[in-house]
Amino acid sequence: MHTNRRFFFWLQIAFVLGLGVGGLNFYLSYQNLERTSESRSQMQKSEQVIGALDGLLGDVIDAQNGVRGYIIAGRDEFLEPYLNSTHSINGNMQQIQALLAGNASQPERFAAVEKQIEEQFEQMKRTIEARREQGFEAAAKLV
């Protein structure tokens, strides 16, 4: 009888320990699921930022190509990509700023990118004006 009691005592301890281990496993699994969900959300946001940056880069390249075509040919229809890009770039920049708003370091880095893009567009604007007012040679010197 004494052996039976001891057996049931150890059986109860094993059961309680099993419940504890099972509970710990459940808790850790839940935490892992939460982290996975957060990681997936961050990854999706990163993909959106990359897509918006890709669109921004495409707009800058289109604008540069349009300006080069205008400098060479001197025809206003070559400025169409430049003009379209000036409008769409602002929307892309706002979208990127909104996506980066919760990140501490990225808005600061993106501000540097914005500044470079603004400087490039100012340079393109000066080049267009030089081509219109002074001709090909003056504009070619600015490129």
Side-chain angles (χ1 to χ4, degrees), residues 83-96:
L83 296 173
N84 290 339
S85 293
T86 57
H87 298 296
S88 60
I89 279 180
N90 291 330
N92 279 339
M93 285 188 181
Q94 290 174 354
Q95 179 186 11
I96 294 167

Side-chain angles (χ1 to χ4, degrees), residues 23-78:
L24 180 62
N25 186 29
F26 176 77
Y27 173 76
L28 293 175
S29 295
Y30 178 76
Q31 291 297 317
N32 190 33
L33 183 63
E34 286 289 316
R35 280 190 224 122
T36 301
S37 177
E38 288 174 20
S39 295
R40 185 176 297 127
S41 174
Q42 289 174 351
M43 187 174 74
Q44 288 172 342
K45 192 172 184 178
S46 294
E47 288 173 351
Q48 290 174 334
V49 170
I50 290 169
L53 286 169
D54 189 42
L56 183 63
L57 177 61
D59 286 341
V60 171
I61 291 170
D62 288 347
Q64 291 172 337
N65 290 338
V67 171
R68 284 188 202 107
Y70 175 72
I71 291 169
I72 293 168
R75 296 192 339 236
D76 286 342
E77 59 263 18
F78 284 101

Side-chain angles (χ1 to χ4, degrees), residues 94-117:
Q94 290 174 354
Q95 179 186 11
I96 294 167
Q97 287 170 343
L99 288 168
L100 296 177
N103 193 317
S105 65
Q106 297 302 327
E108 187 176 300
R109 290 179 181 171
F110 184 64
V113 171
E114 278 183 301
K115 184 179 178 189
Q116 288 179 342
I117 290 172

